[in-house]
């Protein structure tokens, strides 16, 4: 795409933004094709970040965010650097919202200090975008304490949408754990807003906290059940949930997994088959380091293969066994074939 075409699409997006009081799909429908120009779009947007017009700066940030969603890591790094520089002197709430939104698209921890600062904005929409964005840049299993503290704080925000997204981010999108995190999630299970209560319950369940069991049971008894609730049931792995789960279509997203994890017999069969896979691998390749592991905030078991972090592999045991019809010997052979 030529640079003049990108500029035309950008100008049209700016005009659409001027006419719309709220966020509009029309703007994104223009920015998405413009973002397809890659670095051409990045260069043009970077040049607009110093424009005296706040609408232009906001749309420029949005374009950088769309490019980051589909761009390479080096593009995202360049965008993150530009956003951090802009945020240092930007005071317009609309631009700050776009900075937070684009920062999330970069998935770059470099924007974390900006998000932590914007979390204290008096503008509800800015805080909302921060609540959405923070989990996207908390890529480490052990995120910074100040970032977790900010998410916990947003869970008590005066705005229910901010609380819901912050609770979702803390409990489901990110995986920090500890007394403070669990206390925050438990507190949200008593929120006045149903959506916030659901996110609190699911967040506790993902940490396999038994206090979530009656809450998840209530969610499963509803007429409409969110996919995340089936996941929450799987994390709890409690047989008392089976009568409720049996009423759902086993082919629906998350249901089969929940049925397996909550059924002690099926779970034991999976665990025994996994053990047979690893013993077979030890017999066939005694030189090959292989371990079975599970994570608190992940479902199922994994095979970790090899002792070199750069070349070792990890495969999901359940998917491996399903692929070979639960034949442990064939599963072991398949692992060796793909190494």
């Amino acid at each position: 795409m030529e640079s003049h075409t990108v500029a035309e699409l950008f100008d049209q997006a700016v005009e659409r933004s001027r006419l719309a009081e709220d966020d509009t799909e029309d703007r994104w429908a223009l920015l998405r094709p413009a973002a397809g120009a890659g670095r051409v779009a990045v260069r043009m947007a970077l040049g607009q970040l110093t424009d005296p017009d706040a609408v232009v700066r906001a749309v420029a940030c949005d374009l950088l965010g769309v490019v980051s969603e589909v761009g390479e890591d080096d593009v995202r790094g360049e965008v993150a650097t530009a956003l951090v520089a802009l945020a240092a002197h930007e005071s317009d709430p609309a631009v700050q919202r776009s900075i937070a939104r684009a920062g999330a698209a970069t998935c770059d921890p470099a924007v974390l200090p900006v998000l932590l600062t914007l979390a204290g904005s008096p503008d509800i929409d800015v805080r909302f975008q921060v609540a959405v964005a923070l989990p996207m840049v908390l890529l480490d299993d052990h995120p910074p304490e100040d970032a977790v503290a900010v998410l916990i704080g947003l869970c008590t925000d005066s705005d229910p949408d901010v609380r819901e997204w912050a609770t979702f981010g803390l409990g489901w999108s990110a995986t920090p754990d500890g007394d403070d995190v669990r206390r925050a999630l438990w507190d949200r299970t008593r929120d006045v807003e149903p959506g916030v209560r659901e996110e609190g319950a699911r967040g506790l369940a993902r940490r396999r906290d038994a206090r979530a069991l009656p809450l998840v049971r209530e969610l499963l008894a509803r007429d409409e059940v969110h996919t995340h609730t089936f996941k929450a049931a799987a994390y709890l792995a409690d047989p008392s949930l089976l009568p409720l789960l049996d009423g759902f279509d086993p082919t629906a997203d998350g249901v089969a997994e929940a049925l397996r994890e909550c059924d002690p017999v099926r779970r034991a069969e999976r665990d025994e088959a996994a053990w047979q896979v690893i013993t077979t691998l030890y017999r066939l390749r005694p030189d090959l380091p292989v371990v079975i592991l599970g994570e608190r905030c992940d479902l199922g078991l994994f095979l970790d293969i090899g002792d070199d972090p750069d070349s070792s592999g990890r495969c999901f045991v359940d998917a491996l066994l399903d692929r070979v019809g639960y034949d442990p010997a064939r599963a072991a052979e398949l692992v060796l074939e793909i190494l």
Side-chain angles (χ1 to χ4, degrees), residues 260-261 263-276 301 326:
R260 181 186 63 237
E261 294 298 325
D263 188 334
V265 174
R266 294 178 62 186
R267 200 166 64 246
E269 291 174 348
R270 187 271 312 278
D271 294 349
E272 175 60 26
W275 177 247
Q276 291 181 30
L301 299 174
Y326 256 69

Side-chain angles (χ1 to χ4, degrees), residues 29-225:
L30 292 163
L31 293 179
R32 291 188 192 104
R39 288 200 168 277
V40 173
V42 171
R43 287 195 300 271
M44 197 222 65
L46 290 176
Q48 301 296 331
L49 294 181
T50 57
D51 194 283
D53 189 333
V55 176
V56 173
R57 298 197 302 276
V59 176
C61 290
D62 289 336
L63 178 54
L64 289 172
V66 180
V67 175
S68 295
E69 289 175 356
V70 296
E72 302 296 331
D73 288 343
D74 58 340
V75 170
R76 293 175 180 171
E78 184 178 0
V79 169
T81 299
L83 294 173
V84 171
L86 174 62
H89 55 78
E90 183 59 66
S91 59
D92 187 278
V95 184
Q96 291 175 334
R97 291 196 295 272
S98 292
I99 289 173
R101 185 161 42 204
T106 69
C107 299
D108 193 322
V111 304
L112 183 57
V114 171
L115 295 176
L116 299 186
T117 298
L118 293 178
S121 170
D123 187 275
I124 292 174
D125 291 333
V126 173
R127 299 198 306 276
F128 174 83
Q129 288 299 333
V130 171
V132 174
L134 268 175
M136 302 296 291
V137 299
L138 297 181
L139 305 180
D140 198 308
D141 288 337
H142 304 284
E145 292 183 4
D146 55 350
V148 175
V150 166
L151 258 183
I152 289 175
L154 289 172
C155 287
T156 64
D157 196 271
S158 60
D159 182 78
D161 290 333
V162 175
R163 292 201 306 278
E164 182 170 346
W165 273 94
T167 307
F168 171 74
L170 179 70
W172 200 260
S173 297
T175 57
D177 203 355
D179 292 341
D180 290 346
V181 171
R182 295 193 182 206
R183 187 179 306 113
L185 293 171
W186 174 250
D187 287 345
R188 298 282 60 78
T189 65
R190 292 170 287 182
D191 198 279
V192 296
E193 292 294 329
V196 181
R197 293 199 298 271
E198 292 175 19
E199 296 303 342
R202 288 192 283 251
L204 281 175
R206 192 172 185 201
R207 285 147 186 82
R208 306 179 195 271
D209 192 310
R211 289 178 296 176
L213 182 57
L215 307 173
V216 170
R217 191 178 290 120
E218 290 178 11
L219 294 178
L220 288 173
R222 293 185 178 181
D223 293 335
E224 294 186 12
V225 180

